[in-house]
Amino acid sequence: MSVMIDRAKCIGCGRCTDACPGNLLILSEDGKARIREVRDCWGCTACMKNCPVSAISFFLGADIGGNGSHMSVKRDGFLYKWTVKLPDGTDKIIDIDSRSSNAY
Amino acid sequence: MNKTTLEDFDIEKISTDVLIIGGGTAGCYAAAHIAENSQYHVIVAEKADIKRSGCLAAGVNALNAYISDGHVPGDYVEYARKDAEGIVRDDLLLSIAEKVNDVTHDLEKKGLVILKDENGDYVTRGWRNVKINGENIKPILAENVYRQKNVRVINHINITDLKLSKDAEGRKVTGAYGFSVRERKFYEIDARAVLIATGGAAGIYRPNNPGFSRHKMWYPPFNTGAGYAMGIEAGAEMTTLENRFVALRCKDTIAPTGTIAQGVHARQVNSRGEIYEEKYGLTTPERIYGTVEEKRAGRGPCYLKTEGISKEAEDDLYKAYLNMAPSQTLKWLESGRGPSEDNVEIEGTEPYVVGGHTAGGFWIDTQRRTTVRGLYAAGDVAGGAPQKYVTGALAEGEMAAKAIVADLGAWSTKEKDNPASCTGTVQDGSGASSDNVKSEGKAAGNIFMRYVSHFNETGETVTCDQAEEAMQKIMDEYAGGIRCDYRYNEAGLETASDRLKSVRKLADKLKAEDMYGLLKIYELRDRLTVAEALIAHLYARKETRWHIFGENADHPEKDEKYSCYVNSVLEDGKIRIIYRPLVREHEYFHDKAALQNAEEDAT
Ligand SMILES: Cc1cc2nc3c(=O)[nH]c(=O)nc-3n(C[C@H](O)[C@H](O)[C@H](O)COP(=O)(O)OP(=O)(O)OC[C@H]3O[C@@H](n4cnc5c(N)ncnc54)[C@H](O)[C@@H]3O)c2cc1C
Ligand code: SF4
Ligand code: SF4
């Protein structure tokens, strides 16, 4: 899996570049974030959770079953709103309340 | 093209009381503990940013080490000893087990969400597991570090070497060297005590998904075994590296299986629908062994039987995975078939060296001192105590912190020393010519020149990626990786050892375009050092004590002769194996011999 950055949304704040445990994200010359090497992403989603404008989404490589969907997250108080965009254009949304623990 | 020289880099020299290498689970907790319980100045040197670095970046799904009501710490020791076929340190396990509940309560106080029942008691999963929302566990630990006024965190700095000095009592660690992964800047940090908390080593073997998703592995691909490598090179004794860890995971996404197995009580079934787990046993290695054997017998693929679980359970699984391994949830959603419709395919991962799950790492005393004076170890980098997990790593961080505070106090009264303060000076490289640095200490000059040399290599054909793939392929094929169902034999290990030497030569000649490139080269160097030591350990345990973790094809049975630890030290560039008797006492001190080994000059 890896991440992709929506350049139109990115405001160049650099938070994702600090958050990545692998130092994989950097700001390009034009001030927008980019990933150095797509194959090096661990998939921890730390960058996504730190992005103030939800510009980052992650996807599965075809080698592990990816079919063109991608997923993003938006923070709203205690809620994480995860949105999966499927290739057919439909969305699936899952809300996670960070105050409640895993059922399992 | 202009030659890069030392003048092209800034050099920052810092001195402090305590240096913590790795601001992960154990490192963050140790830093806070020292600051809260002493006046000492602490530097945390972290290669990423402590807010989301290391194992906890994505979050964890449970606290795996906790002693629930009706059980005592001794039960934990017993369980872990049995699970590891005896090759554990009772003293280390007991000291962890006595602390895991305290650190759990402390985590809750700091803001971790822990599931409670109507009486306010923790809800446990089995008798050693507490259910939590562990998504934000790392930010919680990091914030607690930033609250301390005597701690300076230096993020985005990669430590590569320990600084060694000699005094009247012999050799000791007095700091470390590293470089910024962002700016052209090198660091020399002097410290009176150094704690290594860099986690374990991933990426030594070819991973499950070697192509596009090569970093979709269980253990963080950014924990490259730097701590082991630095320790080995400094002559510290290592233990039980041959007790590799392999995890049973959801296929492709490498997401945890325990949540499904325990959460919805899913059993392991083969392609014929037969439940096979009972045939092989229920420890982690046995579960993987069963999966490998079923496949070898032509009854694969293997699955966790989830078909038919309720839609409600399925939703709970989606959420649980979003908090720790989001790719699994995405996989379910994008395939349009969730676990209630399809069983979840499982596989074993590539092997890792990780002292928090199995027992490979630094040989330490009960207080977490390594065999080199001034050097301490905690968390996944420390050996002897498997199954410590998050709470065990925190407990070890605290114990190491206590030992450091006590030792610094004792040394101060001895030396009548003034505590060093945490000030730094930045020199620009032009002032510090290589001669200049040499006069400050030969080692600094050598190490910095080694960094610089990579900027001057041409790197025409071989890239760092290629060299890493070469290493992973060698380990996979000759040292018991996935390709050979985790089996190895002596002939293969000899071949591996031989071929790694060529990769080592390649690594010396790799070109760095920038500081990140230098980081990649040093990550490879870490892994090579760990791989070489690992091979020596695999070779030295001439038995098969653990399926999968140590599947020795020349010696397929357990042999009571090897009811001992396999330890090693690097001396004069050669790895010397030491067999040590099992420690069943509740307190262990390094014997003279161990310390002497470490005192001998490796340089
Ligand atoms: C994916 C995953 C899920 C897990 N889930 C659970 C769970 O649910 N429950 C549980 O109890 N346990 C779980 N564990 C185990 C637990 O998280 C670890 O055992 C524990 O966090 C290890 O702590 P540590 O301090 O040793 O390593 P880490 O927390 O990884 O810290 C090591 C730090 O050192 C830094 N570092 C490395 N090299 C260098 C260098 N050269 N210079 C400077 N810094 C460096 C790293 O960036 C990192 O921040 C999980 C582990 C993983 C990988
Ligand atoms: S998902 Fe994790 S590893 Fe991948 S780019 Fe984001 S922060 Fe880095
Ligand atoms: S955090 Fe988001 S907005 Fe900020 S630089 Fe990264 S992608 Fe752009």
Side-chain angles (χ1 to χ4, degrees), chain A residues 5-6 9-17 25-27 31-34 47-48 50-56:
Chain A
I5 294 156
D6 184 338
K9 277 193 190 162
C10 174
I11 54 166
C13 70
R15 285 191 215 171
C16 58
T17 67
L25 299 166
I26 45 172
L27 294 180
K32 307 272 181 183
R34 72 172 174 87
C47 53
M48 297 165 58
N50 278 279
C51 178
V53 294
S54 301
I56 311 175

Side-chain angles (χ1 to χ4, degrees), chain A residues 1 17-18 23-24 36 39-42 49-50 60 63-64 67 69 80 99-104, chain B residues 47 49 51 113 115 131-133 135 156 182 213-217 221 263 323 331 334 465 516:
Chain A
M1 70 163 279
T17 67
D18 287 335
N23 291 294
L24 301 177
R36 293 175 194 271
R39 294 178 302 166
D40 284 347
C41 174
W42 182 32
K49 290 171 188 164
N50 278 279
L60 302 182
D63 61 335
I64 58 171
N67 69 3
S69 304
Y80 280 121
R99 290 164 302 187
S100 58
S101 76
N102 295 344
Y104 299 129
Chain B
K47 77 190 269 191
D49 183 313
K51 194 167 171 209
V113 174
L115 189 62
K131 294 185 187 182
I132 60 171
N133 182 324
E135 188 284 318
H156 306 293
R182 299 185 150 180
S213 303
R214 64 186 183 183
H215 273 181
K216 186 63 256 171
M217 46 178 69
N323 283 335
K331 178 152 184 162
E334 81 172 305
D465 265 3
Y516 179 75

